[in-house]
Amino acid sequence: MAQKEAGTQQGRVKTEDNVGAKAVAGGLTAGGGVVVEVREKKGPLRAAIPTMPFPLAVICLFLNTFIPGLGTFISAFTVLCGARSELISERGVCCVFWLNVAAAFIQILTAVIMVGWIMSIFWGMDMVILASQWLSSSGYHTCFLLPLFFLFCSYLPFVCLLIQMCLFLIA
């Protein structure tokens, strides 16, 4: 309770669960503070994911699903062709290109232990999400089957792993 009464400090609101948000006039939250906006803080690799045209993002997702890291590697070259990224203004095009190449190699090297494969699929899903957000902000509408496509792609590695385990047990 003492934390609630402490009020704001440097533009943050203290609540019982130690979650801070900018304090500006707006709706009240359950903790008694005011939340205006919430932003996800991305690391440099996640912030380097380029915003590509929607069909290319779907192709990269497909490639990442079946050959881990390949779609991410191809997306690195889209940065050199003018694709936007959150990190380009801070670090430049060459740095964003190399960050995407590094992410692709991490996915390829760790695919052996399934981590890279799962990371690769989620990376491809992020590419499609960024492309669909760009489409919806520019006035185009995305397909209503897109959530089903995400669901299928997110469970595909586990289905393949289950099939491999069954084949291993049979042999």
Side-chain angles (χ1 to χ4, degrees):
M1 191 67 180
Q3 225 174 2
K4 270 189 185 177
E5 294 172 0
T8 61
Q9 179 182 19
Q10 296 178 358
R12 296 248 186 249
V13 175
K14 291 185 179 179
T15 60
E16 292 176 1
D17 57 356
N18 293 329
V19 176
K22 292 182 181 178
V24 182
L28 291 175
T29 63
V34 178
V35 176
V36 172
E37 69 179 359
V38 177
R39 287 189 185 181
E40 179 185 1
K41 183 178 179 185
K42 297 179 180 178
L45 285 178
R46 290 284 303 271
I49 297 174
T51 304
M52 300 175 279
F54 188 77
L56 183 58
V58 171
I59 290 170
C60 287
L61 171 61
F62 181 79
L63 291 172
N64 272 349
T65 302
F66 295 105
I67 306 169
L70 182 61
T72 307
F73 188 72
I74 290 172
S75 75
F77 289 97
T78 65
V79 173
L80 297 177
C81 295
R84 285 171 275 195
S85 173
E86 295 176 18
L87 212 57
I88 287 180
S89 61
E90 279 181 41
R91 299 202 178 176
V93 174
C94 286
C95 183
V96 172
F97 168 76
W98 287 112
L99 282 170
N100 279 296
V101 170
F105 281 121
I106 290 170
Q107 292 167 7
I108 291 168
L109 293 175
T110 59
V112 177
I113 55 173
M114 295 295 292
V115 173
W117 192 14
I118 294 168
M119 177 187 174
S120 183
I121 291 170
F122 281 112
W123 219 261
M125 290 172 60
D126 282 342
M127 290 179 207
V128 173
I129 289 169
L130 284 172
S132 65
Q133 287 174 348
W134 179 76
L135 276 176
S136 63
S137 69
S138 63
Y140 297 104
H141 298 290
T142 58
C143 178
F144 66 92
L145 294 175
L146 194 59
L148 294 176
F149 184 66
F150 287 150
L151 186 65
F152 170 74
C153 289
S154 60
Y155 285 110
L156 186 63
F158 302 111
V159 171
C160 290
L161 181 64
L162 183 63
I163 292 170
Q164 287 177 350
M165 289 173 69
C166 290
L167 291 174
F168 178 74
L169 291 174
I170 291 171

